[in-house]
Amino acid sequence: EIIDGGGFTALVKLLETDPGDLSGFALGAIVNLLSVGAENKVRIIEEGGIAPLMRILVNGSDHLLDMSYSALLEISECRMCQWSLGQTVYISTLIECLESGANENKSNVAGLIAILAYNHENFGARFVSEGGIEPLVAMLYSGSEDAKCNAMEALCSISQSKEHDNVGE
């Protein structure tokens, strides 16, 4: 009933417009709704929720970063969302997070990239074409152990992508 009554639309609007506590409550509600079913994961994409979730990865507080990552992770693992999510994820935002984010956030983003490359058609090729390989490789030398593992997993997922032949070159 929350969703059919315009709840997702209102929650996404709060994410877009409120940088304070209401945004945190909205994000918490979204994470809870995403855990209930695949339809909710499709719905948040349709409502334009990916853009504000991606912005939070760059500009959010630690608490919001964790919730945004959880929401994106829930969506990325949904088979019904493969094409839509692959088209709406802002690869430049992910790369920006890898280049300038906090170490824990970089590790989370690398893990998300691994899942996206594994599950979503054309994501790996798009990530490569936008220059995403260098920051992942840099993490192998300077990241935490978790970041190194996630960066390696992302690179492996990208290299195994079927939509391009030159990723490993």
Side-chain angles (χ1 to χ4, degrees):
E1 289 184 33
I2 292 171
I3 296 163
D4 292 335
F8 251 133
T9 304
L11 293 171
V12 169
K13 184 67 107 182
L14 280 173
L15 284 183
E16 293 173 336
T17 59
D18 184 86
D21 291 340
L22 285 178
S23 184
F25 291 126
L27 189 51
I30 286 171
V31 170
N32 288 338
L33 288 168
L34 291 174
S35 68
V36 176
E39 302 82 24
N40 293 344
K41 295 168 187 169
V42 171
R43 186 70 180 265
I44 193 158
I45 294 170
E46 292 171 349
E47 295 290 336
I50 300 302
L53 290 172
M54 297 295 292
R55 278 194 292 278
I56 290 169
L57 283 180
V58 176
N59 300 320
S61 66
D62 288 345
H63 180 63
L64 292 180
L65 284 171
D66 289 342
M67 286 195 300
S68 180
Y69 171 71
S70 294
L72 288 164
L73 190 59
E74 279 282 338
I75 298 164
S76 71
E77 294 175 337
C78 174
R79 288 285 194 212
M80 290 174 57
C81 301
Q82 281 189 357
W83 187 85
S84 297
L85 183 63
Q87 298 303 309
T88 56
V89 166
Y90 298 98
I91 291 175
S92 60
T93 303
L94 295 175
I95 293 170
E96 182 180 345
C97 289
L98 292 176
E99 292 175 337
S100 61
N103 283 335
E104 183 179 334
N105 192 34
K106 287 181 183 184
S107 178
N108 288 342
V109 169
L112 181 61
I113 291 165
I115 291 167
L116 289 167
Y118 182 79
N119 287 335
H120 301 284
E121 189 174 321
N122 298 325
F123 179 85
R126 289 178 49 226
F127 190 79
V128 169
S129 71
E130 291 191 33
I133 297 299
E134 286 184 38
L136 285 174
V137 171
M139 286 177 65
L140 296 176
Y141 294 101
S142 64
S144 66
E145 288 303 311
D146 283 343
K148 289 175 182 177
C149 288
N150 286 344
M152 182 57 71
E153 189 174 332
L155 289 165
C156 287
S157 293
I158 291 166
S159 71
Q160 294 170 358
S161 297
K162 295 177 186 143
E163 73 275 358
H164 47 77
D165 296 327
N166 63 346
V167 171
E169 295 177 1

